Amino acid sequence: MADGADAIAVRTGRRAPATASGTPRHPRADRLFAAVAGLFVLAQLLLVRPGMGLGWDETVYVSQVTSHTPAAFFSAPRSRGVSLLVAPVASWSSSTELLRVYLALLSGLGLYLALRAWRGLFPARVLATAGAFFATLWVTLFYGPQAMPNYWVAIGALICAGCFVRAREERPGRAALWGVAAGAALMAWMRPTDAVWVTVPLLVLVLVRRHWRLLLALVGGLAAGGVQWVVEAYTGYGGLAERLHEASRIQGDLGWHIAVDDQLRSLGGRALCRPCTGEMPHPVITLWWFVLPLLAVLGLVVAVRARRTARTLIPLACATTAALPYLFMIGYAAPRFLQPAYALLAIPVADALWHLVRAPGGRWRPVAATLVAIGLAGHLAVQLVVLVYTVDRNTDSRRDWARTADELHRLGVRPPCLLTGHEAIPIGYYTGCSSGNTGGNNENTTAAEIVRTARRIPVAAITGPGGEPPAYARSWETHRIGDLRVGVAPRPEPDGTG
């Protein structure tokens, strides 16, 4: 093998040679990681069009910090991390294109830093391959430039696990401990419950081995990232237990649910599979999902034989616990839920692939290398096909929301205003209106309050295909916008009496 310091570090378990200042030198690794991250950013900008409008969940997160539309209802499972992440742009600009470019650049930087957390623990080629594999999954490319939390949980998981391994194997230094804390904080900042699931193996290991400094870094990071969510639980949801209970209810009552088949159905490009019905995608689309754990196990076998088990077992264990709740404890699926697991599995998978194509002496295995190259090329082609389909479908649905908003403006429903009913949250964002619902997971008002509001500002009730308008809106003037029925309340009088 010709990986210089990286190869030496893997074979011997020692740190790479350092400069006079004591800083390890990994210029080749840094260049590889930067290239992978740069290509990832470029692919996002080319394949996931920056002009694609905001999705439903994105409108909730962005509306919390933007000034051009009221804040949407913030349900119990959500965390403020994404809103703070987009605030540097969304707080002063309503440009979706600018926000997408900003998030694409930020996601590339995150991938680069996550790979650097593992630098020296595996050969540079293995880590670059792991980064490329994760970055070319359609779900990673699609959600990289979006205001959603799961990609950032994945980045935090990679940083936390990598620095954790480094802190265990090397003399514990401040850099590794701060990396553990930062990765844990990033995960908890984005999705506190996911952060707990990812770090379960790490917490068990530090308690068994009594690594108290590592425990302090890990728990401190989780606490720093999750404190806002906990405080908000007491100020807005009646306590932590109540918020967890409400979050469970909104997600369909967490418990024993086999969602493996739901996740398979979502691989065809369904952003949210709830209820998850319909036919399975073509086997070509789901094949990689079955190969992935097999390659990860092979990576573990390779690591055991090379006497570096912990470096592979730790991310593999964290990936397993990260995936468990979304495979066996929830009654629906979204492909983005498993992003942290995919990111962590990418390292043992990449190690296994290089083991297949290279003999221990560094010689190529021509037949194996050809088969792996063909398999990866086919995998990449499938991912790109699903990505293009997903982008096109989501772009169309978001354009429908924008067209509905334009029609509502034409009907006199302009800010300040209130929308209620079918898809009121995303349509409200595009219209510049507040959104209110009297039932369901986003219940935040009552029928009486909506009627009172209609005496002051424009109010519209949206009814989806096949639905019936609410009782309070049946006498309102009805309009058709596409396949929607929209009831517009009588225009308020200047004195607000209706």
Side-chain angles (χ1 to χ4, degrees):
M1 293 184 290
D3 287 279
D6 291 324
I8 294 172
V10 171
R11 288 197 298 267
T12 66
R14 295 193 300 268
R15 285 178 290 180
T19 63
S21 64
T23 302
R25 297 180 64 183
H26 300 273
R28 180 176 178 271
D30 286 346
R31 288 195 297 268
L32 276 174
F33 302 161
V36 170
L39 290 172
F40 175 48
V41 172
L42 183 61
Q44 292 177 68
L45 297 177
L46 292 176
L47 299 173
V48 186
R49 295 181 285 270
M52 183 176 65
L54 298 182
W56 186 316
D57 293 284
E58 288 186 292
T59 63
V60 175
Y61 291 121
V62 173
S63 70
Q64 308 303 310
V65 294
T66 191
S67 59
H68 70 276
T69 190
F73 175 69
F74 206 78
S75 61
R78 302 187 188 276
S79 182
R80 302 281 174 177
V82 174
S83 298
L84 295 175
L85 186 74
V86 302
V89 171
S91 61
W92 58 271
S93 174
S94 61
S95 171
T96 302
E97 291 83 355
L98 182 61
L99 181 61
R100 294 278 186 234
V101 171
Y102 161 74
L103 288 172
L105 292 171
L106 206 59
S107 65
L109 176 61
L111 181 61
Y112 172 74
L113 294 176
L115 293 176
R116 282 198 62 179
W118 289 87
R119 189 178 59 183
L121 299 174
F122 286 87
R125 65 168 184 263
V126 170
L127 295 175
T129 302
F133 172 78
F134 176 61
T136 54
L137 293 176
W138 76 261
V139 65
T140 308
L141 284 166
F142 183 71
Y143 284 106
Q146 295 203 46
M148 297 291 282
N150 310 87
Y151 172 81
W152 295 102
V153 175
I155 293 300
L158 278 175
I159 292 173
C160 183
C163 291
F164 184 92
V165 172
R166 188 179 305 283
R168 285 186 70 253
E169 295 194 358
E170 302 175 359
R171 181 184 301 172
R174 290 184 179 180
L177 293 174
W178 278 111
V180 170
L186 178 59
M187 288 189 288
W189 191 35
M190 294 296 169
R191 287 186 72 89
T193 51
D194 283 11
V196 172
W197 280 103
V198 170
T199 55
V200 163
L202 308 183
L203 291 167
V204 171
L205 188 56
V206 294
L207 288 172
V208 170
R209 295 297 181 90
R210 298 182 181 181
H211 294 307
W212 304 126
R213 293 180 68 189
L214 259 177
L215 178 63
L216 180 62
L218 193 57
V219 174
L222 292 173
V227 63
Q228 186 278 329
W229 198 83
V230 174
V231 170
E232 190 177 54
Y234 287 96
T235 59
Y237 297 90
L240 182 58
E242 285 299 317
R243 185 168 196 177
L244 289 170
H245 175 75
E246 178 65 5
S248 174
R249 183 193 68 80
I250 288 174
Q251 295 176 93
D253 292 322
L254 299 180
W256 179 248
H257 299 282
I258 298 180
V260 176
D261 56 334
D262 293 344
Q263 285 292 342
L264 282 170
R265 287 188 176 89
S266 73
L267 292 179
R270 299 174 67 174
L272 181 63
C273 200
R274 187 181 191 181
C276 206
T277 56
E279 296 182 358
M280 288 284 183
H282 193 280
V284 170
I285 294 176
T286 58
L287 178 61
W288 72 273
W289 209 69
F290 295 99
V291 175
L292 189 67
L294 298 178
L295 288 173
V297 171
L298 175 59
L300 179 59
V301 172
V302 171
V304 171
R305 290 179 177 176
R307 297 183 180 179
R308 47 179 173 80
T309 305
R311 297 182 184 184
T312 297
L313 184 58
I314 285 174
L316 190 56
C318 291
T320 301
T321 55
L324 280 176
Y326 293 115
L327 293 177
F328 301 107
M329 295 181 64
I330 194 169
Y332 64 99
R336 59 186 172 86
F337 291 164
L338 295 181
Q339 279 187 281
Y342 297 150
L344 291 162
L345 287 175
I347 293 176
V349 165
D351 199 23
L353 290 174
W354 278 104
H355 173 76
L356 291 174
V357 303
R358 297 283 291 271
R363 292 177 291 102
W364 287 97
R365 295 172 170 146
V367 175
T370 301
L371 292 176
V372 168
I374 292 173
L376 290 175
H379 168 72
L380 180 60
V382 169
Q383 296 300 307
L384 292 178
V385 168
V386 176
L387 176 66
V388 170
Y389 164 76
T390 305
V391 169
D392 288 344
R393 190 163 55 85
N394 280 271
T395 299
D396 289 342
S397 66
R398 296 169 193 191
R399 284 175 179 166
D400 287 342
W401 290 336
R403 283 192 289 266
T404 300
D406 290 340
E407 286 297 308
L408 286 168
H409 288 161
R410 188 181 62 81
L411 295 172
V413 182
R414 297 177 176 274
C417 48
L418 171 68
L419 297 186
T420 183
H422 180 72
E423 297 185 335
I425 288 179
I427 297 176
Y429 178 89
Y430 281 82
T431 312
C433 298
S434 300
S435 55
N437 284 285
T438 59
N441 294 335
N442 296 299
E443 180 181 353
N444 64 338
T445 189
T446 63
E449 180 61 29
I450 291 173
V451 172
R452 283 194 296 269
T453 302
R455 297 172 185 159
R456 298 183 289 104
I457 61 174
V459 174
I462 304 172
T463 304
E468 291 293 329
Y472 61 81
R474 287 173 186 167
S475 62
W476 295 357
E477 184 178 355
T478 302
H479 304 268
R480 283 279 180 182
I481 302 178
D483 57 357
L484 304 177
R485 273 196 296 172
V486 177
V488 179
R491 191 179 300 275
E493 297 296 334
D495 61 359
T497 59

